[in-house]
Every structure is written in structure tokens, then in C-alpha cells.
């Protein structure tokens, strides 16, 4: 697929975020002209047009997407520091998560490629989803994802529904569970799972997700009007995942592996937190040829290695300093 993006102007809204920075870098490597749009975009480590903008201001979205062949609205706001929309923050979150997408759809002259979530399907779906299931979103996060996605699909764009994404970042840090547990293990803290930890989750390395967006940009006509599942097609139990993180940290630091312990679920846990979910990406693979390339163990090792390299004065992230 190399060279298919040469010359295309792709506006990445939220291009300095965790996923957005990886996607922007991959698009640039594939020959696209990339416009990184963010409130504080910094200086990307790849060739790009950089636009500093508050996309909630009137006219900012239209200016950001002007002239773009493809628009990727990769913005996300929850107000909580996690994927959960903060209590009482639904309206503020929707202003970003739905409002900016609506303005991008209205202003875009070309294709819009949205970042959805496999969790949009809701708690009634089978453990292994194929993309034909009816959505029954349970959380405010998923309801907003569904609303924004519908705007994109009705306008002829497409959506990539992502599972748990993790890995190193050149932009905003990964705040997901894998990196959080890696930081805890590096600081010598035990890792905790809710209950037995036998819920299965689907995880994809951030570089593979970036390649999926590049594939979508290269095949807009064949993907138009649909939501497509991105996933590994194989789940891993949460306890086994955390044990892998602990073992990887031990191997790379030479320290004993921290324990993985079961704890009661917190009050804010929902039904979706206790059901397994694995995404079958066969449809997207058939159209684009994309498939995840980085095995889970390698992805975890690269994530932990990045955290170690990013540590200050040789102190692993999360380690308390004394004196």
C-alpha cells in the first residue's frame, strides 16, 4: 500500500493526542500531507503543517479542515482523565465529542474518518463481535460515540471502531490500563484486578491502529457509510494481561515481579466492565488488507521499554523521590 497516500492532504483534529500523534506520523510516513490540529500541537517529529486552534471556538473547525482531502476527527473529552465521562459533564463532553465532529462533517469537502469504539455495541452483545450487531450503548461515552459516528456515516464517511489501544506516544501520554499497570509495576506496586480477572479484552498496539487509519484513508470509497471493527480477533484475560506486564517489567529491570491481586470492583463499575469483548476485524481486512502485526508480548515490552527510556534521572515513572 506504500505510496497510495502521496499528495493527499489529511487534517487530523486532535493530532497531538495519543492516537492522533501516532496516526499523523504514520500518514506522513506514507506520503500524505498532514495537517496537525490541536490546542497545543507542539512540534511534531515528522513533516507536517501545524495549526494551533481551540476547536470549540466559532469557525475554528471549518478553518482547520479547509482544503483537506480527508478529515480525521480524533478529538476526545471526558473530563475525568479516563474514557468515562465525568458525572455531570455530559454536556461539556458532547460539545467536543459530538459538536466538533458535526462541524467537521458540515465543513469537510472530502471524506471523514471517525474513531469509534468497540464498546458502542453495549452490554447485550456476544463476547465475539463481527460488526453486524445492533448497538445498545450503555455509557454516556458510548452514546456520544454513536451520535458522532452516525453523523459521519450519514455523510458518506466511515468509522473505525477501536478496542483497547496502548503503546508509546510522541504526543499526549497513553492513559489506558496497560500503561497504567506498567507504571505501577515499575514503581514496585502490586497490580490489582477486579474480582477473578477472567474478563477477556481485545488489545491492539497503537502503531497497528495508526496503520489501520492509513489504510482507511487509502480506501475511502470502499469503506464509505459503514463502521468497521479494528481488533486482534483474540482476547486475553485481564489477569493474564497484568501478569504479562509484571513479568515484562521484571525482565527489563532485573527486579522481582510484582504480585497481581484481586480486589472488589469499585462502585462506579458497570455491566460492561464484567463482560468479555473481542472484535473480529475480518471485514476491514478483506477490504484493505490490514491486520495487526505486533504480538501482544512484543507490544507490552515496547511499552515498558519506552517508559523506562522516558524516566527522569534513571528513576522509573511513578517512583517516589526522597530527600
Amino acid at each position: 500500500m506504500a505510496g497510495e497516500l502521496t499528495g493527499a492532504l489529511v487534517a487530523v483534529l486532535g493530532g497531538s493526542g495519543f492516537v492522533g500523534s501516532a496516526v499523523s506520523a504514520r500518514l506522513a510516513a506514507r506520503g500524505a500531507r498532514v495537517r496537525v490540529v490541536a490546542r497545543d500541537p507542539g512540534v511534531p517529529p515528522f513533516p507536517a503543517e501545524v495549526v494551533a486552534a481551540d476547536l470549540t471556538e466559532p469557525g475554528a473547525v471549518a478553518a482547520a479542515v479547509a482544503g483537506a482531502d480527508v478529515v480525521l476527527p480524533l478529538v476526545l473529552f471526558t473530563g475525568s482523565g479516563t474514557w468515562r465521562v465525568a458525572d455531570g459533564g455530559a454536556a461539556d463532553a458532547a460539545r467536543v465529542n459530538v459538536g466538533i465532529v458535526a462541524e467537521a462533517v458540515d465543513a469537510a469537502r472530502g471524506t471523514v474518518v471517525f474513531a469509534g469504539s468497540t464498546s458502542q455495541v453495549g452490554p447485550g452483545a456476544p463476547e465475539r463481535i463481527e460488526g453486524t450487531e445492533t448497538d445498545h450503548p450503555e455509557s454516556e461515552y458510548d452514546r456520544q460515540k454513536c451520535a458522532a459516528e452516525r453523523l459521519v456515516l450519514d455523510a458518506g464517511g466511515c468509522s473505525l471502531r477501536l478496542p483497547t489501544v496502548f503503546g508509546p506516544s510522541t504526543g499526549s501520554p497513553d492513559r489506558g490500563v496497560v500503561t497504567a499497570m506498567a507504571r505501577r509495576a515499575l514503581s514496585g506496586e502490586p497490580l490489582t484486578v477486579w474480582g477473578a480477572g477472567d474478563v477477556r479484552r481485545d488489545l491492539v498496539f497503537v502503531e497497528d491502529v495508526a496503520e489501520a487509519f492509513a489504510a482507511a484513508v487509502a480506501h475511502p470509497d470502499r469503506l464509505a457509510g459503514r463502521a468497521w471493527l479494528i481488533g486482534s480477533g483474540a482476547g486475553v484475560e485481564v489477569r493474564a494481561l497484568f501478569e504479562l506486564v509484571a513479568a515484562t517489567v521484571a525482565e527489563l529491570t532485573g527486579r522481582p515481579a510484582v504480585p497481581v491481586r484481586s480486589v472488589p470492583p469499585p462502585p462506579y463499575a458497570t455491566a460492561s466492565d464484567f463482560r468479555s469483548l473481542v472484535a473480529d476485524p475480518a471485514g476491514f481486512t478483506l477490504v484493505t488488507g490490514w491486520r495487526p502485526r505486533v504480538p501482544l508480548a512484543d507490544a507490552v515490552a515496547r511499552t515498558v521499554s519506552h517508559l523506562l527510556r522516558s524516566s527522569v534521572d534513571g528513576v522509573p515513572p511513578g517512583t517516589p523521590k526522597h530527600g
Side-chain angles (χ1 to χ4, degrees), residues 16 25 39 115 134 183 271 276:
S16 67
R39 188 187 298 268
T134 300
R183 290 182 182 276
S276 299

Side-chain angles (χ1 to χ4, degrees), residues 40 48 53 58 69 112 170 183 197-198 227 242 246 254 261 280 290:
D40 183 14
D69 300 297
V112 178
T170 59
R183 290 182 182 276
D198 55 357
F242 288 7
R261 298 172 178 166
D280 183 352
W290 175 90

Side-chain angles (χ1 to χ4, degrees), residues 16-18 21 169-173:
S16 67
F18 169 52
S21 60
S169 175
T170 59
S172 299

